[in-house]
């Protein structure tokens, strides 16, 4: 009877663990003021997170144990939930920097462990992508405030608690013989290199665009367009180096970040000014899940990216007709649905490629956000992001 119960629980537990663990890996570093020490963030932390996500996924592929993967994910969640209480008050700035690097490393391990534990299972893969992308779309808007007065915990605190329960349940109920996908040493080397180069490149490109914000006219837009072009070309190079079947995911992620960013900023702004109700975040999460789940019926990334990019650009170009005429909740839902559909339609076959793709949205915002924040007409910034998203969409069609 116990064995039967464990078998019945194993599938739902693994799906829930994949969704929540990926969400925590994105949400906590981005919006975890209530669970992480203040001042521990580092702009370069995503580099460590991306590299360790790939390395931990590959290491778990070598061990071959899904139970080990979920146990490591659970241990990572415990550390993330405890680190604020372990760091003493009055700690120096240098020590806080070290803590920030530790947090980045643990986040990467968590993301890699969740990827290794769920990859190879269709439902687990979809749940992982949906959880990670939904967290990216909503993380900046969540912040550290309690969304409902009756809740005493913040969203990151609840996410950590539920993720811990789910990963422990997944580790305890994983069926015997369920093994992690085997690693490809050549692909591992490519992915680790790509993780470091892309995440460092995004940061440097973002700083370069920001440093040229005082430029005007054509030169300013040459800088912005060149930075976005370099980011897209970097994703294209990665696509050409990986095996067929893995070549669309990094490009799809790059296009999704560019397509969603304007509406993502609007959502964040509305939440910060309390003009947008908290349930809009639930709409975004539900729309991402729907998009990812619908992707097997529409296995093409082009329609999803074009939908999301068009909504974002139209909102900026026609603020009265689209921005005010269509409620934000509807626009958020359409962008989340389109990007979720695109990512679900571009799922790679290899766990290491999936880990890299899931780790890229946060560092990619360095360059995308820098272009968006240029002191110029927002319509042209939106058009630049639209062009980047369309190019990615065409490449992964």
């Amino acid at each position: 009877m116990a064995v039967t119960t464990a078998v019945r629980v194993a599938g739902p537990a693994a799906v829930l663990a994949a969704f929540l663990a990926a969400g925590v890996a994105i949400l906590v570093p981005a919006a975890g003021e209530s669970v992480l020490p203040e001042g521990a963030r580092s702009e370069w932390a995503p580099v460590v997170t991306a590299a360790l996500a790939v390395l931990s996924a590959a290491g778990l592929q070598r061990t071959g144990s899904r139970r080990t993967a979920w146990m490591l994910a659970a241990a990572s969640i415990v550390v993330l939930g405890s680190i604020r209480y372990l760091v003493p008050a009055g700690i120096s700035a240098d020590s806080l920097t070290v803590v920030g690097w530790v947090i980045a490393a643990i986040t990467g391990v968590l993301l890699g462990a969740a990827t290794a534990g769920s990859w190879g299972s269709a439902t687990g893969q979809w749940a992982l992508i949906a959880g990670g992308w939904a967290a990216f779309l909503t993380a900046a808007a969540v912040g550290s405030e309690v969304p409902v007065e009756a809740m005493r915990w913040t969203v990151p605190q609840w996410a950590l608690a539920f993720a811990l329960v789910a990963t422990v349940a997944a580790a305890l109920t994983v069926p015997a013989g369920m093994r992690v996908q085997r690693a490809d040493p050549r692909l591992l080397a490519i992915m680790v290199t790509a993780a470091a180069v892309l995440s460092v490149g995004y940061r440097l490109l973002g700083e370069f665009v920001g440093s040229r914000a005082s430029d005007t006219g054509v030169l300013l837009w040459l800088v912005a367009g060149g930075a976005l072009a370099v980011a897209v070309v970097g994703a294209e190079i990665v696509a050409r180096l990986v095996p067929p079947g893995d070549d669309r995911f990094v490009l799809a992620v790059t296009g999704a970040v560019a397509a969603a960013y304007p509406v993502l900023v609007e959502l964040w702004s509305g939440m910060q000014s309390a003009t947008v109700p908290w349930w809009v975040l639930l709409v975004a999460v539900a729309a991402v899940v729907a998009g990812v789940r619908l992707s097997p019926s529409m296995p093409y990334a082009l329609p999803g990216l074009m939908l999301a990019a068009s909504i974002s650009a139209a909102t900026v170009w026609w603020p009265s007709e689209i921005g005010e005429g269509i409620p934000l909740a509807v626009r958020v839902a359409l962008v989340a649905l389109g990007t979720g559909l695109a990512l679900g339609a571009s799922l790679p076959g290899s766990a290491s490629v999936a880990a890299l793709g899931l780790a890229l949205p946060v560092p990619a915002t360095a360059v995308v956000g820098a272009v968006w924040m240029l002191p110029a007409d927002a319509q042209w910034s939106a058009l630049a992001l639209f062009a980047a998203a369309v190019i990615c969409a065409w490449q992964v069609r």
Side-chain angles (χ1 to χ4, degrees):
M1 182 66 69
V3 174
T4 302
T5 301
V7 170
R8 290 177 178 175
V9 171
V15 169
L16 191 59
F19 183 87
L20 292 173
V24 163
I26 304 298
L27 177 65
V28 169
E33 291 90 347
S34 59
V35 295
L36 298 179
E38 185 178 355
R41 285 199 186 128
S42 168
E43 292 183 346
W44 290 93
V47 178
V48 177
T49 299
L52 280 178
V54 176
L55 282 171
S56 58
L60 288 163
Q61 284 181 284
R62 292 181 66 85
T63 66
S65 171
R66 288 187 186 269
R67 177 168 283 113
T68 301
W70 288 124
M71 289 175 63
L72 183 59
S76 300
I77 292 169
V78 170
V79 173
L80 288 175
S82 306
I83 197 164
R84 184 176 185 181
Y85 306 100
L86 297 175
V87 175
I91 189 173
S92 67
D94 290 340
S95 297
L96 270 177
T97 300
V98 174
V99 172
W101 290 111
V102 171
I103 292 169
I106 295 299
T107 301
V109 170
L110 171 59
L111 190 56
T115 303
S118 57
W119 217 251
S121 163
T123 53
Q125 292 174 177
W126 293 330
L128 184 83
I129 299 301
W133 185 248
F136 172 75
L137 291 182
T138 58
V142 166
S144 59
E145 300 295 327
V146 178
V148 181
E149 292 184 1
M151 295 173 58
R152 301 190 62 181
W153 283 2
T154 61
V155 172
Q157 289 173 318
W158 281 109
L160 282 167
F162 286 133
L164 178 60
V165 172
T167 49
V168 170
L172 294 176
T173 60
V174 62
M178 287 286 290
R179 310 294 290 171
V180 173
Q181 181 191 69
R182 293 187 179 277
D184 179 348
R186 174 184 170 277
L187 185 60
L188 168 61
I190 293 173
M191 288 300 98
V192 173
T193 303
V197 171
L198 290 178
S199 53
V200 170
Y202 291 150
R203 172 53 54 189
L204 293 177
L205 283 171
E207 292 181 351
F208 176 69
V209 173
S211 69
R212 303 305 298 267
S214 59
D215 293 338
T216 57
V218 176
L219 181 59
L220 178 65
W221 293 111
L222 286 176
V223 170
L228 289 174
V230 171
V232 173
V233 168
E236 174 67 22
I237 291 173
V238 174
R240 292 178 181 273
L241 292 175
V242 300
D246 292 337
D247 54 348
R248 299 197 300 167
F249 191 56
V250 173
L251 270 167
V253 169
T254 305
V257 174
Y261 198 80
V263 169
L264 185 153
V265 172
E266 186 182 1
L267 178 61
W268 172 82
S269 176
M271 292 295 294
Q272 296 302 308
S273 61
T275 59
V276 175
W278 63 267
W279 54 262
V280 175
L281 300 178
L282 298 182
V283 170
V285 174
V288 170
V289 172
V292 174
R293 290 297 294 163
L294 286 172
S295 60
S297 303
M298 187 183 293
Y300 306 101
L302 178 62
L305 285 179
M306 289 300 298
L307 172 64
S310 298
I311 292 294
S312 293
T315 298
V316 180
W317 273 84
W318 297 283
S320 299
E321 296 83 351
I322 305 298
E324 298 177 5
I326 300 178
L328 176 61
V330 176
R331 288 184 281 117
V332 166
L334 290 175
V335 170
L337 178 70
T339 50
L341 180 63
L343 297 183
S346 307
L347 289 184
S350 304
S352 56
V353 179
L356 171 63
L358 285 168
L360 284 183
V362 173
T365 57
V367 59
V368 173
V371 171
W372 178 254
M373 292 298 294
L374 287 174
D377 194 332
Q379 291 182 333
W380 296 108
S381 296
L383 185 60
L385 297 184
F386 176 80
V390 168
I391 293 171
C392 290
W394 180 254
Q395 291 298 97
V396 299
R397 64 188 184 281

